[in-house]
Amino acid sequence: MTGTQLSTYDHTKHVLLSKGFTDSTHTHLMASIVAGFVCAVVTSPVDVVKTRIMAQIHHRPSSGGGGSLNHIGEGRTTVLYKGSLDCFRKTLANEGWRGFYRGFCASYFRMAMDTTLTLLVLEKTRKMLQLAPL
């Protein structure tokens, strides 16, 4: 869970309750879907940078002029990104802000499912244990 999930869920749920919705599974479902979307929007740039760094192809300089592809640990390598900030800068320069949202739909569906299940279970558990609402 991220801070964006819990805070967005809590705020959305309170807005829905103030608009006349009841404290029901339907309300919790709508609030958790919104929370999953906001979480995906906020975390997508970080996920893209992390994925690009982890999946980058390493090039080994060769004497023949053409570089050969190499995996980490096999000889001397040069990397595409020197770190997270370098990857962020290169992505922004080459692709603009849209580059940070590649694969957004998959990320959103993953976040929405995870957030929805987690928060619905949280609400049901809270009610079973007779705890105060979030």
Side-chain angles (χ1 to χ4, degrees):
M1 296 302 286
T2 66
T4 57
Q5 284 171 304
L6 291 174
S7 59
T8 303
Y9 174 77
D10 186 49
H11 179 73
T12 304
K13 182 175 128 181
H14 286 291
V15 167
L16 291 172
L17 292 173
S18 72
K19 298 288 182 187
F21 285 82
T22 60
D23 193 12
S24 65
T25 302
H26 187 258
T27 303
H28 302 155
L29 180 65
M30 287 190 298
S32 61
I33 288 171
V34 171
F37 178 79
V38 171
C39 183
V41 168
V42 170
T43 60
S44 189
V46 176
D47 283 343
V48 167
V49 168
K50 177 194 67 137
T51 301
R52 288 182 180 195
I53 288 174
M54 291 175 64
Q56 67 183 328
I57 298 173
H58 298 271
H59 297 276
R60 179 178 48 199
S62 66
S63 59
S68 62
L69 297 181
N70 191 13
H71 293 287
I72 296 174
E74 296 178 12
R76 199 171 125 210
T77 62
T78 58
V79 294
L80 299 174
Y81 307 111
K82 294 176 184 166
S84 299
L85 192 55
D86 183 49
C87 181
F88 183 88
R89 286 181 185 146
K90 286 180 179 177
T91 301
L92 185 60
N94 295 331
E95 302 174 52
W97 286 104
R98 293 181 93 186
F100 294 109
Y101 292 94
R102 290 192 181 258
F104 178 78
C105 288
S107 177
Y108 168 64
F109 288 129
R110 178 177 54 93
M111 291 285 181
M113 298 281 278
D114 175 63
T115 303
T116 300
L117 289 173
T118 302
L119 294 173
L120 286 176
V121 168
L122 172 74
E123 289 290 350
K124 293 296 182 189
T125 304
R126 180 189 60 78
K127 283 186 179 182
M128 278 190 335
L129 299 175
Q130 298 175 348
L131 300 173
L134 288 177

